[in-house]
Amino acid sequence: MKILFLGDIVAQSGVSAVCASTPLLQAQYHPDFIIANGENAADGKGMTRELYTRLKAAGIDLITLGNHAFSKRAFLQDAEDCPDIIWPANIGSYAPQRPVLIRIVKEKRVAVLNILGNVFMNADYEDPILVTKKIMNHISADIILIDFHAEATSEKSIYFQYFKDRVTAMIGTHTHVQTADEKVENGCAFISDVGMCGPYDSVLGRDRNEAMDHAITGCSHYRPSDKEAVVCGLMIDIDDHTNRAVSIERIQLRPGSND
């Protein structure tokens, strides 16, 4: 089984790039299942039903969120109309109770879990390891993939070491910077951060001039960049007999690149 995971989709530029590149990635890699983190899709913070519909039409099977899941409050009311959205398990009681989704792929039960880290996140989320342990006690699946949305590389590495024997893949998201530490260990695929699908000429997807103004004056309002997007992702190959990962490949499509 091949699973394609696309990193944090940022603003209109990222949405457009993902919609344009997903068919090309499908033709090149032939994934059986596609997951994307969409928590920054709506103007850099949050998700909307319209964007959900657009991403689904482009071929995305499941969409995970993150710390900006509540940024577009109206989306909470739309949750029932968006069945392929996964909310972070430890983000709070206001979120729809949908921290795990299970889908049948190639006759396998594939469970996808979304959870938030605590370190440097400027919030006090419930302990991610304890929450994950509770949830996994009730998961019946052949393959488990976790989107661990967190800031600190050390926290992501600790989380991976703790769960690597029980899950097939642990994918780090949130920092918008693709790391080069991808590996398969004990049959579990890991990367600290898959990177973003968002404006390449930017500060983590933010308009660079506005970001500099904010750093100097503290008075500017967040504005995403409208420049062309980089598309960052991963291809994970899973053995159909053992349900364990055998390879992980980083993908990065920069504007103007033919690769």
Side-chain angles (χ1 to χ4, degrees):
M1 181 186 300
K2 293 182 178 181
I3 295 180
L4 172 64
F5 190 104
L6 298 175
D8 303 46
I9 302 171
V10 183
Q12 183 60 46
S13 173
V15 173
S16 296
V18 166
C19 290
S21 63
T22 297
L24 302 177
L25 292 171
Q26 288 175 312
Q28 181 176 355
Y29 291 99
H30 307 289
D32 301 296
F33 198 54
I34 304 177
I35 306 165
N37 185 293
E39 75 125 9
N40 299 119
D43 301 321
K45 295 182 180 180
M47 172 61 70
T48 66
R49 177 164 50 181
E50 291 74 20
L51 291 175
Y52 166 87
T53 301
R54 187 176 171 191
L55 291 167
K56 285 289 297 175
I60 306 301
D61 294 301
L62 288 183
I63 299 172
T64 56
L65 296 174
N67 57 304
H68 291 305
F70 292 153
S71 292
K72 300 294 183 286
R73 289 285 179 173
F75 190 62
L76 285 169
Q77 306 302 318
D78 295 331
E80 293 303 316
D81 297 322
C82 304
D84 294 319
I85 285 279
I86 307 173
W87 295 75
N90 56 340
I91 197 171
S93 59
Y94 291 106
Q97 297 304 300
R98 197 189 299 156
V100 180
L101 284 178
I102 296 177
R103 296 290 182 265
I104 305 300
V105 183
K106 295 184 68 176
E107 301 182 345
K108 301 280 188 176
R109 289 173 58 85
V110 179
V112 182
L113 168 65
N114 195 188
I115 197 154
L116 296 167
N118 261 328
V119 180
F120 305 136
M121 292 292 282
N122 298 319
D124 186 20
Y125 303 119
E126 192 175 351
D127 184 277
I129 288 180
L130 294 181
V131 171
T132 303
K133 286 175 65 177
K134 291 177 184 177
I135 292 173
M136 289 185 63
N137 287 335
H138 301 284
I139 293 178
S140 175
D142 301 297
I143 293 165
I144 300 175
L145 183 147
I146 300 178
D147 174 350
F148 190 39
H149 198 77
E151 182 74 24
T153 301
S154 57
E155 184 180 24
K156 294 176 181 181
S157 296
I158 291 169
Y159 187 93
F160 164 68
Q161 291 298 330
Y162 195 92
F163 289 108
K164 66 183 180 183
D165 293 327
R166 299 182 63 184
V167 305
T168 304
M170 202 292 281
I171 308 304
T173 59
H174 178 64
T175 71
H176 295 193
V177 177
Q178 189 179 75
T179 55
D181 59 346
E182 76 278 10
K183 63 180 176 180
V184 174
E185 191 171 307
N186 289 20
C188 180
F190 169 77
I191 191 168
S192 291
D193 206 286
V194 65
M196 72 170 178
C197 299
Y200 184 65
D201 182 8
S202 69
V203 178
L204 305 181
R206 190 174 185 174
D207 180 90
R208 60 179 181 176
N209 292 319
E210 184 273 322
M212 288 188 289
D213 287 343
H214 179 78
I216 295 168
T217 68
C219 297
S220 65
H221 178 71
Y222 179 91
R223 183 174 71 251
S225 171
D226 60 2
K227 304 297 185 182
E228 286 186 86
V230 60
V231 173
C232 293
L234 289 173
M235 178 58 64
I236 302 168
D237 197 354
I238 299 169
D239 186 277
D240 289 331
H241 298 288
T242 64
N243 298 326
R244 305 298 291 169
V246 294
S247 67
I248 180 171
E249 178 183 349
R250 277 186 294 127
I251 297 168
Q252 187 177 115
L253 306 177
R254 298 186 184 185
S257 172
N258 294 321
D259 298 331

